[in-house]
Amino acid sequence: MRRDAAVEVSRLLAEDSAALQLETLSDWGGLERLLTRPRIQKPGLALSGFVKHVYADRLQVLGLTEVDYLLSIGETEARAGLEAYCKRKLAAMALTRGLEPPPPLMELAREHGIPVLRTPLMTSSFISRVTRRLEELLSPRANIHGVLVDVLGVGLLLIGRSGVGKSEAALDLVLRGHRLVADDVVEVMIRPPDTIWGAATQLHQHHMEIRGMGILNITHLFGVAAVRDNKKIEVVVELSDLHEDDYDRLGTENNNWPILGVDIPLVRIPLRAGRNISSLIEVVARNQILKFRGIDSAREFQEKIATHIAMTTGTATPSDAPEEASPRQVSGQITGLVSLGEVE
């Protein structure tokens, strides 16, 4: 796992400039300073010289209140407070509402090499946007070998050994009208509070490798509607050469695959000659949509079979029958019941 422990101020300027609308008033060579926390800080009492709780590795945001305060007091008093404030080796300051910085602030920022930024956004709006962006830039990240697709709005991460057919299945899904997010290398990250999002690396974005054909540009072949830049990962689909006893026949076992400490539901699809893997993957997405709505077909069927077994054997009443038979016991009886024509 890789974690971006710090972000340079220059990267914050380059990232998502349309949303933050930041401009550099003066940087004095300090744009390489590091931000290590996603939360911003408003100076408040720090402008009066009380700097005990000032965190230099946070972005300092000054709004109308701070600027009016500096302008309302004498320049000597303002300079004294700002001197103690700027000595904290701040990573950067950002003024909101397009405000003009007071002269003492710019002078002391230059003296201490602190970049001064400005945005026309209202303070509350800017804080919300920059906090969200810093959370993304500073969140834990990792690269996973797999293919990420958006099927019916559900993010499916296809995993399996190299050459198992993940890219071919994804290509078939694209032909069915679904969307590719990333092929081969999926960059995953945590978005608060505990969701996992995936995207392609900049080099691989919107491209796919098909053995025997080489690298394909999915956007050029199928249009922009066939791709998307990122997607929340909601199910992991493992394509593997499993034996019959290695997978859940009922689909009631709660299998998970951890990504960056977050458990994602796992579905294992055994590969067999002649199986339409892309159709099965599409059904996984449809079944997940039902689960989002509180409908679990496998568990409903399990309860129905368990009730039938309990009633025919006389071991329990309908009300407590589902608790009397485990999923494995039910699975063992299904084949016999079906062959006898007892289950409709």
Side-chain angles (χ1 to χ4, degrees), residues 141-189:
R141 296 167 181 263
N143 289 336
I144 296 177
H145 175 66
V147 180
L148 180 57
V149 288
D150 177 352
V151 179
L152 301 172
V154 179
L156 303 179
L157 176 64
L158 311 183
I159 62 172
R161 61 174 174 79
S162 180
V164 77
K166 300 183 295 294
S167 296
E168 287 82 355
L171 180 60
D172 197 11
L173 289 167
V174 170
L175 289 169
R176 292 167 177 256
H178 306 297
R179 306 171 75 181
L180 172 73
V181 182
D183 179 65
D184 192 37
V185 179
V186 182
E187 185 177 49
V188 296
M189 60 175 289

Side-chain angles (χ1 to χ4, degrees), residues 46 50 86 90 132 155 161 177 216 234 277 289 296 314 330:
F50 183 73
C86 292
L90 307 175
R132 184 166 57 249
R161 61 174 174 79
L216 304 178
E234 289 154 311
I277 300 301
I289 293 173
D296 193 327
V330 173

Side-chain angles (χ1 to χ4, degrees), residues 6-55:
V7 174
E8 292 185 352
V9 176
S10 59
R11 185 176 177 189
L12 184 64
L13 286 166
E15 295 278 349
D16 208 2
S17 58
L20 301 180
Q21 301 179 40
L22 281 169
E23 63 172 323
T24 305
L25 295 182
S26 294
D27 62 69
W28 295 292
L31 291 180
E32 78 284 353
R33 295 194 176 194
L34 300 177
L35 298 165
T36 63
R37 307 190 190 197
R39 294 180 60 188
I40 62 90
Q41 184 169 38
K42 287 178 66 67
L45 287 174
L47 297 179
S48 66
F50 183 73
V51 296
K52 179 180 178 180
H53 300 292
V54 172
Y55 300 95

Side-chain angles (χ1 to χ4, degrees), residues 180-240:
L180 172 73
V181 182
D183 179 65
D184 192 37
V185 179
V186 182
E187 185 177 49
V188 296
M189 60 175 289
I190 295 179
R191 286 191 183 177
D194 57 358
T195 60
I196 300 294
W197 285 69
T201 61
Q202 186 174 5
L203 185 64
H204 294 82
Q205 192 173 45
H206 302 167
H207 288 78
M208 176 182 288
E209 178 193 358
I210 300 296
R211 299 195 178 196
M213 299 181 64
I215 304 298
L216 304 178
N217 188 312
I218 300 302
T219 305
H220 292 170
L221 285 172
F222 303 104
V224 295
V227 297
R228 62 177 300 167
D229 294 336
N230 55 65
K231 184 70 179 78
K232 177 183 175 182
I233 299 176
E234 289 154 311
V235 182
V236 176
V237 181
E238 181 182 6
L239 307 180
S240 59

Side-chain angles (χ1 to χ4, degrees), residues 71-88:
L71 294 175
S72 66
I73 61 178
E75 184 171 330
T76 302
E77 185 180 354
R79 185 178 293 274
L82 285 169
E83 178 69 31
Y85 181 51
C86 292
K87 279 184 177 179
R88 302 291 287 183

